[in-house]
Structures are given as structure tokens and as C-alpha cells.
Amino acid sequence: MLQLSFVNFRKGSYLVVEGKAESDRFFIIQSGNVRCFKATDTPGGPIKLLGPGDFVGVIPCMSGHSQIETVIAITDVTGISVRRDQYPELIMRNTPVAMKIIRTFANGMRSMNETLTKLTLNNVVADTPEHIFDVADYYDKAGFSDIAVYAYYQYLKACPRGINAGRAKERFIVLKERTHAVYFESTPDLMRVYPKSTMIFSESQNGPDMFIIQEGQVKISKVVDGNEVTLAMLKKGDMFGEMALLENKPRSASAIAHEPCKLINRQNFDLMVATQPQLISRLTTMLADRLWSMYRQIDNANLHDPLHKLIDILALQVEKTKINLSQQNVQYQTDLTPYDLANMCGIPKEQQAESLIRLQSDSHVRFVNGKILVPDCRELVKQAAFYRKQNNNA
């Protein structure tokens, strides 16, 4: 039987503290108000306040990572304490609570996408169908014709009389002759297979599909002003595409097969919620993990030295695996190329070669068969934490 406890916090007390080791519970505020802040917040910036019905500490709790912000009570506060192991039962008994958490995560991810893109590429883009042409043009010029042809098709579908329709049609006809792109239109197929470097969906595209990766890797990315930033690299078991279903808005980022992929396609989210609470629990955990990673990526975007950025974003990949960092000399072989890592940091292409030469000379990193190996995970994470602290104190 589900039994939740009430916790009282006096005005001025801390509910959670940034950087503290993972918590096994989160709080639903029943009464009172709290303020949330991070060490990297800009003085005089917007103040984040939460009140009754809001959640505190849910991202670190459900992801199993350290706290991402400090939360202090600005009035006396009463909260409902929910342990991580109680969440599946909470879903079965109170689906609206779970859905509010998931929708809060979805809204947060869209906002974080914009923040991360602005910090990394110094700009954001209007979320309109016209932007699909910019995406297609970027990949076309970069030589990724299988990605470009899909985006050109989606642009022509969304904007048949758009200002770039003539150019898009011309390039689509040229590229279609030799393309390996698949699924230009949504299908009811439960299983889809995507060759490497083909597009699953484009940012600013409408679509009802959500996917679960059965095999392969998927890159989530955005294109702004002729530059690409990698927001996430997803692997077997991860879900993606849920934001368009939850918010009924255009895609906020593109999904591209980084390796050959087999994907399970799901379209009826409401039916899934009603009949598969275990999948909703898994989705919550996955979104929490992705949001936690995006908070860390924003910290990374505030670093100035490209080498520091590369070391820190590599440390993030280690932290995401939850490797035991109490032991020395624990190695981690990534699936990332040096250029994957540079794109995750948003390092401009003209600076990547020099930055990666510096990375190759760093003792915390080795390049093995074109992929990155971490020889000592604990030392790498410690070094990245030092760079972040050094940057915050500058």
C-alpha cells in the first residue's frame, strides 16, 4: 500500500543543495513557496520560484545523479516526500501526478534546448517550418545528402510555396536519385530500420511519432546560423520524440541515425499511459536523466577554454554511466569520435582541429581506433570539476 509522508521546512531552511550526492526522494510542495538557484546563475537574473503542486528534487531523484540546484524555503513549507521506489505505484494510483511531472520535464527540455543553443551558438532560431530548409541546406553543404534529402522533402511538404521551395525542389530531385533515406512519410510500422546518417525527423517538423531504440545510436541536434550543436547521443533502450506528442508542437531538435538503427515506433501516447505504467516510469527516468545532462551541458557552455569544455563534456559522458568513481584506474571506452565531442561542446569548426590536438595531448584522454578512451574515470571527473570551479570563481 502506498504511504507517503509529510515533511515540514521552516522559512530559510534548505530543501536540497546543489552538488549533493544523489537523493532517493523528491518533494511535492503542498503549501508554501521556495526559491531555486545555481552557483552559475547571473546576479540580478530572473528568480525561479515554486509553490503548491510543484516538484523539488525530482530530476536528481529519478535520474540517480547529484542535485542540480539549491532550493531554499522563502516561507514555511510543507511537502509530500516521495521515494524513488514508490514512483511506479504512484503512477498506478495517481496518473495525473506522473503526467504533470512528464509534461513539466517536456517543457523544461524545450526551454533548456533553447538556452543551451543560445549559450553554445550565441543565437536561437524561430520554430517555424521555414527553418527546415536551413537544416536541409546545412547538411547538404556538409555533404550529408541522405540527411539533407529528407529535410528538403519535409520542407516542401510544410511549405510548398515557401520562399525556398524552388531551390528545395531542385536539390531534392538531384539527391533523391542516390539517397539511402527512408520513411519520408510516417507509417504504422511497429519496427523501423534506419541506415547510418539518415534523418528520423527534422527540427521544426510536425509529427506524432515517439521511438524506442532497439539497436544503434541516435544523435539529437540543432542547426543555427550554419552551425550544428549536438544536444544528446542516445543508445539502446532510450526513448525520443515524446516532446512533440506531449506538447503538440513542432519538433524542437532533429533526430539522426548516428549508427544503423532499429527503432520501435509508438504513436498513441494516451493509450500507453493508461495501459503501461511501467513504461511511463521508464520514460520519467529517461527524461530526468536527459534533463540532468542538459543542466550539466549548460555549465559546460559557460566554460571558456575549448580544452576545458572537451574534458568537461567527456566527464559528463562518464557521469551518465554511473561508473563507480571510488576506484582508481577504471577505464571507459566511449562510442564518440573526437569530432562528436567537439560538436557536443559547440566548438566552431574552424577551431576544432587545434582544440582536438590539445585534447590528444592531455593525459586524461586517449584516442583508440578513432574513438575516445578515458584511462582513469575518477581523475577525469575530478579535473572537470576543477575546471568548472575555476570558471565559477573567475
Side-chain angles (χ1 to χ4, degrees), residues 109-110 113 127 131-132 135-136 139 146-155 181-186 192 194 197-213 218-223 228 231 234 238-245 249-257 263-266 290:
M109 285 184 63
R110 186 173 289 273
N113 278 344
D127 199 8
H131 179 57
I132 303 176
V135 175
Y139 288 111
D146 290 332
I147 300 175
V149 69
Y150 177 94
Y152 280 132
Y153 179 88
Q154 298 304 328
Y155 172 73
V182 291
Y183 298 107
F184 287 90
E185 292 287 349
S186 180
R192 295 189 189 177
Y194 288 84
S197 295
T198 56
M199 183 169 269
I200 301 160
F201 56 72
S202 169
E203 56 184 293
S204 300
Q205 176 189 343
N206 289 313
D209 300 306
M210 182 181 81
F211 301 94
I212 303 172
I213 303 174
V218 172
K219 177 173 73 172
I220 306 298
S221 65
K222 286 183 74 72
V223 171
E228 179 188 35
L231 300 174
L234 308 181
D238 286 339
M239 305 179 200
F240 64 97
E242 71 291 328
M243 289 173 63
L245 277 172
K249 293 180 180 179
R251 306 287 190 182
S252 63
S254 297
I256 296 167
L263 308 179
I264 299 172
N265 178 26
R266 292 185 176 273
R290 205 178 297 170

Side-chain angles (χ1 to χ4, degrees), residues 323-341:
I323 289 173
N324 184 357
L325 297 177
S326 65
Q327 300 177 6
Q328 287 185 319
N329 301 317
V330 176
Q331 294 189 353
Y332 174 56
Q333 176 65 61
T334 76
D335 293 323
L336 301 173
T337 70
Y339 286 98
D340 290 336
L341 206 65

Side-chain angles (χ1 to χ4, degrees), residues 98-388:
M99 288 308 302
K100 182 174 180 180
I101 291 175
I102 289 174
R103 293 187 189 281
T104 299
F105 283 1
N107 290 335
M109 285 184 63
R110 186 173 289 273
S111 174
M112 295 282 279
N113 278 344
E114 292 180 1
T115 300
L116 183 57
T117 304
K118 186 173 183 179
L119 284 171
T120 307
L121 300 178
N122 300 314
N123 200 358
V124 294
V125 295
D127 199 8
T128 67
E130 280 292 339
H131 179 57
I132 303 176
F133 177 83
D134 299 329
V135 175
D137 187 56
Y138 168 81
Y139 288 111
D140 193 359
K141 291 177 178 176
F144 294 102
S145 57
D146 290 332
I147 300 175
V149 69
Y150 177 94
Y152 280 132
Y153 179 88
Q154 298 304 328
Y155 172 73
L156 290 168
K157 180 180 176 181
C159 304
R161 295 178 178 81
I163 57 175
N164 293 296
R167 173 64 175 167
K169 185 175 181 180
E170 174 188 326
R171 291 303 297 158
F172 176 77
I173 292 171
V174 170
L175 298 177
K176 186 68 171 66
E177 298 261 334
R178 57 180 187 272
T179 186
H180 298 97
V182 291
Y183 298 107
F184 287 90
E185 292 287 349
S186 180
T187 73
D189 298 350
L190 178 62
M191 180 70 69
R192 295 189 189 177
V193 178
Y194 288 84
K196 180 178 179 178
S197 295
T198 56
M199 183 169 269
I200 301 160
F201 56 72
S202 169
E203 56 184 293
S204 300
Q205 176 189 343
N206 289 313
D209 300 306
M210 182 181 81
F211 301 94
I212 303 172
I213 303 174
Q214 188 178 60
E215 292 181 14
Q217 281 189 316
V218 172
K219 177 173 73 172
I220 306 298
S221 65
K222 286 183 74 72
V223 171
V224 179
D225 292 340
N227 289 292
E228 179 188 35
V229 58
T230 300
L231 300 174
M233 295 290 287
L234 308 181
K235 59 186 183 307
K236 181 178 179 179
D238 286 339
M239 305 179 200
F240 64 97
E242 71 291 328
M243 289 173 63
L245 277 172
L246 291 167
E247 299 182 305
N248 194 28
K249 293 180 180 179
R251 306 287 190 182
S252 63
S254 297
I256 296 167
H258 192 62
E259 299 290 346
C261 290
K262 287 185 179 179
L263 308 179
I264 299 172
N265 178 26
R266 292 185 176 273
Q267 290 185 319
N268 194 329
F269 189 81
D270 291 335
L271 180 61
M272 185 175 72
V273 171
T275 60
Q276 302 182 63
Q278 77 282 1
L279 201 56
I280 299 306
S281 179
R282 185 171 148 205
L283 177 60
T284 306
T285 300
M286 183 211 69
L287 290 176
D289 196 62
R290 205 178 297 170
L291 267 171
W292 183 87
S293 297
M294 293 179 78
Y295 270 96
R296 279 282 281 105
Q297 280 185 275
I298 286 176
D299 289 340
N300 180 270
N302 285 312
L303 296 174
H304 302 297
D305 188 306
L307 176 63
H308 296 181
K309 283 178 174 285
L310 290 164
I311 292 293
D312 182 60
I313 208 73
L314 185 57
L316 171 57
Q317 310 315 305
V318 171
E319 292 171 60
K320 284 164 63 176
T321 67
K322 302 177 185 175
I323 289 173
N324 184 357
L325 297 177
S326 65
Q327 300 177 6
Q328 287 185 319
N329 301 317
V330 176
Q331 294 189 353
Y332 174 56
Q333 176 65 61
T334 76
D335 293 323
L336 301 173
T337 70
Y339 286 98
D340 290 336
L341 206 65
N343 285 336
M344 285 181 168
C345 300
I347 296 175
K349 284 189 166 43
E350 61 272 17
Q351 298 178 21
Q352 287 186 4
E354 179 183 352
S355 301
L356 293 176
I357 289 172
R358 291 179 64 196
L359 180 68
Q360 191 170 16
S361 302
D362 193 281
S363 62
H364 298 93
V365 176
R366 293 180 194 161
F367 291 6
V368 179
N369 297 323
K371 301 292 177 71
I372 297 175
L373 170 73
V374 179
D376 189 331
C377 291
R378 186 170 76 169
E379 288 304 309
L380 176 81
V381 170
K382 284 171 58 178
Q383 187 63 34
F386 171 76
Y387 287 149
R388 294 195 303 275

